[in-house]
Amino acid sequence: MRTAPIGIFDSGLGGLTVRRELFELLPREDTIYLADSANAPYGEKSPGEILHLSRRNTEWLLSRGCKLIVVACNTATTNAIESLRREFGVPFIGIEPAIKPAALESRSKKIGVLATRGTLTSSLFANTSRLYASGIQVLEKEGKGLVRIIESGKWREDATKELLKSLLEPMLSEGIDHLVLGCTHYPLLIPQLREFLPGSVKILDPGPAVARQTLAVLNSKNLAQTGERSAVHKVFTTGDTELANQMLRWLGYSQQAQPLSF
Ligand code: DGL
């Protein structure tokens, strides 16, 4: 199993921000990335639909021989990972909004969370907030429209920055000092966010922590690749391959996405 690939899935292209962190820390590991862009956004679907799609993505990645699955989607993690762990016999690594580090570090005791509706309404999110953010004001905002903009390839347009400003204005005027990005698509917007967020507001992306956790689990289960080798990376999309390729190029990768239909 050591030589098997790591499977990664997201509702679309956002999980490529997590894959980027995995590449940094695990340069020898092969990966297979599944972008379910035909069904994005997951954040507007019911918990039952999110679980159904997450199961289907997992089954497909396991049929390709993956040894571990990274659920590179906050919405799928918060709605489905507990069931996936019960149902499938491989390790799963998920991603959740980084409320704990934000709450620990905050001086103003006010933190902002930008996430999808599916994540904000999940019981896992409610439990994390209750456990780790007592005494902290958590200002939540649904990033309505953002995933669609990114999936349609328009994330660098000025209108996106204006939408971000309008979404975040209320929490900024409340005095947050941390902004938690609770969706793996949103780190793609950090350049625009930095253009208007005050320098005193720290942006938290849990992608690097996911990579560290993946490394720890691979090591603890004797699943890590050994020896010098160049890793093989594949990307599949249920959506438009040209849009996926545009994103891959923007992130600096020369791979070509392959079409996938279920
Ligand atoms: N990247 C997904 C996440 O982290 C986006 C969810 C969606 O498709 O709405 O939540």
Side-chain angles (χ1 to χ4, degrees):
M1 276 304 258
R2 281 179 176 276
T3 55
I6 293 175
I8 308 163
F9 78 82
D10 179 35
S11 62
L13 303 169
L16 291 171
T17 62
V18 177
R19 194 185 78 140
R20 180 172 59 184
E21 304 299 336
L22 292 169
F23 284 5
E24 285 284 310
L25 212 59
L26 306 160
R28 293 180 188 145
E29 299 289 341
D30 295 348
T31 63
I32 301 180
Y33 183 92
L34 163 52
D36 190 17
S37 295
N39 289 298
Y42 280 15
E44 294 172 16
K45 297 187 187 304
S46 69
E49 285 173 301
I50 297 166
L51 178 56
H52 166 74
L53 293 167
S54 301
R55 270 192 192 121
R56 191 207 55 183
N57 297 339
T58 300
E59 278 164 2
W60 184 80
L61 288 167
L62 293 181
S63 77
R64 312 272 315 192
C66 293
K67 61 184 173 185
L68 173 147
I69 306 288
V70 176
V71 182
C73 175
N74 293 257
T75 311
T77 299
T78 51
N79 285 274
I81 203 164
E82 288 168 3
S83 301
L84 299 177
R85 285 191 171 125
R86 276 197 304 274
E87 292 170 24
F88 296 96
V90 290
F92 284 87
I93 311 294
I95 186 162
E96 282 184 66
I99 290 180
K100 186 179 173 184
L104 285 172
E105 287 173 18
S106 175
R107 285 165 177 255
S108 68
K109 304 291 176 207
K110 291 178 184 174
I111 65 172
V113 180
L114 187 65
T116 68
R117 184 168 72 229
T119 293
L120 293 173
T121 56
S122 68
S123 50
L124 199 61
F125 178 78
N127 289 341
T128 307
S129 301
R130 200 176 41 245
L131 271 175
Y132 298 115
S134 70
I136 302 282
Q137 194 179 344
V138 181
L139 293 117
E140 301 167 9
K141 188 69 188 176
E142 179 189 346
K144 206 169 171 46
L146 294 175
V147 169
R148 280 183 207 280
I149 288 173
I150 293 165
E151 288 293 322
S152 61
K154 297 184 184 144
W155 75 97
R156 287 163 293 175
E157 294 181 2
D158 282 350
T160 309
K161 191 165 89 187
E162 294 312 312
L163 174 60
L164 281 169
K165 270 187 188 164
S166 69
L167 290 169
L168 298 181
E169 188 47 49
M171 58 174 81
L172 289 174
S173 50
E174 284 286 330
I176 61 158
D177 61 359
H178 284 70
L179 174 64
V180 174
L181 300 183
C183 169
T184 55
H185 282 73
Y186 302 164
L188 298 164
L189 304 174
I190 287 176
Q192 279 104 315
L193 285 168
R194 270 290 151 231
E195 281 177 32
F196 70 89
L197 281 182
S200 55
V201 175
K202 185 170 172 187
I203 299 175
L204 288 189
D205 162 21
V210 171
R212 289 194 295 276
Q213 178 65 5
T214 305
L215 176 63
V217 170
L218 287 176
N219 283 335
S220 74
K221 299 196 179 290
N222 287 323
L223 284 173
Q225 280 276 13
T226 50
E228 285 306 319
R229 64 192 296 282
S230 347
V232 177
H233 302 295
K234 294 182 180 161
V235 176
F236 292 86
T237 177
T238 60
D240 183 331
T241 45
E242 192 33 51
L243 285 173
N245 289 337
Q246 180 188 327
M247 177 65 80
L248 284 164
R249 281 195 298 276
W250 188 69
L251 289 169
Y253 305 114
S254 55
Q255 294 143 1
Q256 296 288 313
Q258 300 177 54
L260 173 67
S261 53
F262 285 105

